Amino acid sequence: MYCRQLVVLVGGRGTRLGKLAENCPKPLMKITEQKVFLDYFLESAVRQGFRDVLLLAGHLGEQVQSRYDHASIGGAHISVVIEPEPRGTGGAFAFVRDRLASTFIAANGDTLFDTNIRAVDAALHGSPDTLGVLALRKVENAGRFGSVNVDGDGRILSFQEKTAESEGQPGLINGGIYALRLEAIDRLKHFPSSIEADLFPQLASEGRLRGVESSGYFLDIGLPETYSRAVTELPARKRPVLFLDRDGVLNHDHGYVHAQDRWEWVPGAIRTIKAANDAGYAVVVVTNQAGIARGYYDECDVWKLHHAVQKELYRHGAFVDAFYYSPYHKDAVHEPYRVQAALDRKPGGAMIQRAFRQMNLSREGAFLLGDQESDVDAATSAGISGYRFPGGDLYEWFATLPHSQPIVSESRI
Ligand SMILES: [Mg+2]
């Protein structure tokens, strides 16, 4: 199982921001002419496959409603619920209790923590007794936030309030993203209540709360100086990217694989994808699918297979950002699949270039793993590095490549 639902708290008042947040909820503070702070968080989250997004609004909630209600972002459907009176973060979840799935991801809309949410999700589903899993961020100065104490096994032991002594000390903080079971929300009986101050310490004392650490990009907009950082940094951020050929790299190439029962993972493939996810890389699959042109299967079969592959990855705390496939071939049985063959297929770089145009990706450090010379040629023609996988365990080979080092060092944390 895995979480399909993402619930974001967007009712926060920006009291410490003074006039800056006077006329809008904090997550709706403007970053560029077109975009507000929450847009950046939603983009980093919906790429991980959440299709049902619920925004819990309160203070000036009609602004959230007019911007987002029944909108669609990256394939996710967005709904907005406005809480009539503030009853704390616990009260907000209790108010929408009947709209919540049995397990869901909850997030704080006034922080942006760019982390592998699927890893947090998989940690909850892998531990039936656990009622909540927190995404934890390692910081140099935990004093501003209050820190989280975790045992070697990922179990959260306790929370430490912000104190003068912890000022300037490194530590783990609550990153504001959680995987929760509905049962945890049902623990809340008295309102107003706070999930951070009331619920989490109680679950930790019972040994039913866990944490997953990462060092992904983290920013909250609680203070005027962090808001100005957001305005400078967010529009400039581009995601590093790992391109992967499919057949012969992710799955054994049995020839024209187009159904789940013929999909057999290459050893180490899921681990490679998860390591890239953990390090904040986009994972983009680029695959020639001449079987479509030849009439062996159709595009719908390819979508269905990729959907099934994603679901399996979610269960392992991993995900693919996008699948690009080329259905063309010069010997196509249908004319429309013949015309683009020379332009679109690898060894051309068209699919890679298309991903760069459509997604917000950085060319710096971008690389591709393939099993054929034509994959390496496609990478070269798109101006990025390409490596040819000799077979065996994909991760063991991947970990030796120069371009993989930023990913490998992150996954050892
Ligand atoms: Mg291949």
Side-chain angles (χ1 to χ4, degrees):
M1 277 304 290
Y2 59 92
C3 292
R4 292 173 175 79
Q5 189 179 45
L6 171 69
V7 185
V8 190
L9 291 165
V10 293
R13 288 168 188 268
T15 41
R16 286 172 301 166
L17 287 157
K19 277 204 178 319
L20 280 170
E22 204 173 41
N23 301 315
C24 69
K26 215 178 353 171
L28 261 60
M29 287 178 72
K30 202 164 156 176
I31 302 296
T32 69
E33 269 316 304
Q34 279 82 37
K35 291 172 88 167
V36 300
F37 185 77
L38 183 61
D39 292 331
Y40 293 91
F41 172 70
L42 290 176
E43 284 168 12
S44 81
V46 299
R47 73 189 186 92
Q48 306 191 30
F50 300 98
R51 291 290 167 260
D52 173 14
V53 176
L54 187 58
L55 303 183
L56 304 188
H59 172 61
L60 301 173
E62 61 287 352
Q63 291 184 24
V64 180
Q65 194 159 40
S66 77
R67 187 177 178 95
Y68 292 106
D69 205 9
H70 303 300
S72 174
I73 297 179
H77 177 82
I78 319 261
S79 316
V80 178
V81 173
I82 302 178
E83 198 190 7
E85 51 169 341
R87 296 191 308 157
T89 49
F93 287 110
F95 181 69
V96 292
R97 195 231 174 256
D98 295 341
R99 293 276 300 266
L100 298 176
S102 59
T103 59
F104 60 97
I105 300 295
N108 193 344
D110 47 27
T111 56
L112 194 163
F113 185 16
D114 185 18
T115 193
N116 180 359
I117 302 175
R118 286 296 173 196
V120 180
D121 177 4
L124 182 76
H125 285 95
S127 173
D129 291 340
T130 297
L131 294 187
V133 179
L134 276 55
L136 303 176
R137 175 66 158 77
K138 208 172 250 178
V139 294
E140 290 307 314
N141 178 6
R144 221 193 103 203
F145 305 92
S147 57
V148 184
N149 303 314
V150 184
D151 72 10
D153 189 34
R155 199 175 295 279
I156 293 178
L157 303 172
S158 62
F159 295 87
Q160 201 175 327
E161 295 281 311
K162 40 191 151 188
T163 59
E165 293 83 69
S166 58
E167 192 64 41
Q169 296 296 312
L172 285 174
I173 63 165
N174 172 352
I177 296 176
Y178 324 112
L180 296 173
R181 292 187 196 278
L182 192 54
E183 201 185 329
I185 299 304
D186 290 338
R187 296 287 194 94
L188 298 162
K189 303 285 183 212
H190 307 288
F191 303 100
S193 78
S194 153
I195 57 166
E196 298 88 347
D198 303 321
L199 179 63
F200 292 161
Q202 185 196 340
L203 297 182
S205 71
E206 296 171 20
R208 303 187 76 179
L209 197 65
R210 306 183 71 83
V212 171
E213 288 177 43
S214 93
S215 57
Y217 181 86
F218 180 82
L219 187 65
D220 79 305
I221 47 163
L223 301 168
E225 57 269 31
T226 57
Y227 171 63
S228 18
R229 266 188 64 198
V231 171
T232 314
E233 292 175 8
L234 297 185
R237 286 191 78 225
K238 280 180 182 289
R239 195 171 291 287
V241 54
L242 167 64
F243 288 97
L244 296 168
D245 171 43
R246 199 192 80 181
D247 303 317
V249 174
L250 298 185
N251 57 293
H252 289 293
D253 191 353
H254 298 312
Y256 300 108
V257 172
H258 64 280
Q260 208 183 345
D261 59 4
R262 296 189 63 215
W263 181 278
E264 189 192 343
W265 286 99
V266 165
I270 295 177
R271 188 176 175 202
T272 302
I273 294 172
K274 183 175 184 299
N277 297 146
D278 287 348
Y281 276 60
V283 175
V284 177
V285 172
V286 284
T287 174
N288 282 349
Q289 289 299 321
I292 298 168
R294 293 181 187 279
Y296 299 157
Y297 49 91
D298 63 23
E299 297 197 43
C300 191
D301 294 320
V302 174
W303 304 335
K304 275 194 235 163
L305 175 59
H306 292 170
H307 183 63
V309 168
Q310 280 289 38
K311 287 203 290 190
E312 193 168 351
L313 286 171
Y314 296 160
R315 286 193 287 273
H316 287 87
F319 61 94
V320 166
D321 288 68
F323 288 89
Y324 284 83
Y325 63 90
S326 180
Y328 304 105
H329 195 271
K330 63 179 174 46
D331 300 329
V333 292
H334 303 299
E335 174 70 21
Y337 288 131
R338 206 175 302 150
V339 287
Q340 295 291 325
L343 290 172
D344 198 73
R345 282 169 59 79
K346 293 179 286 187
M351 285 188 279
I352 299 169
Q353 299 288 19
R354 194 172 301 136
F356 276 117
R357 278 195 297 274
Q358 292 174 341
M359 302 169 70
N360 190 24
L361 304 174
S362 169
R363 284 187 168 271
E364 198 180 319
F367 63 118
L368 175 143
L369 312 181
D371 69 323
Q372 307 282 334
E373 210 45 50
S374 57
D375 296 314
V376 177
D377 291 345
T380 307
S381 101
I384 63 169
S385 300
Y387 296 96
R388 191 167 174 186
F389 174 47
D393 184 293
L394 185 69
Y395 187 83
E396 282 176 12
W397 169 77
F398 169 80
T400 65
L401 306 176
H403 277 81
S404 306
Q405 296 317 303
I407 296 174
V408 174
S409 60
E410 180 70 19
S411 71
R412 285 201 184 123
I413 285 175

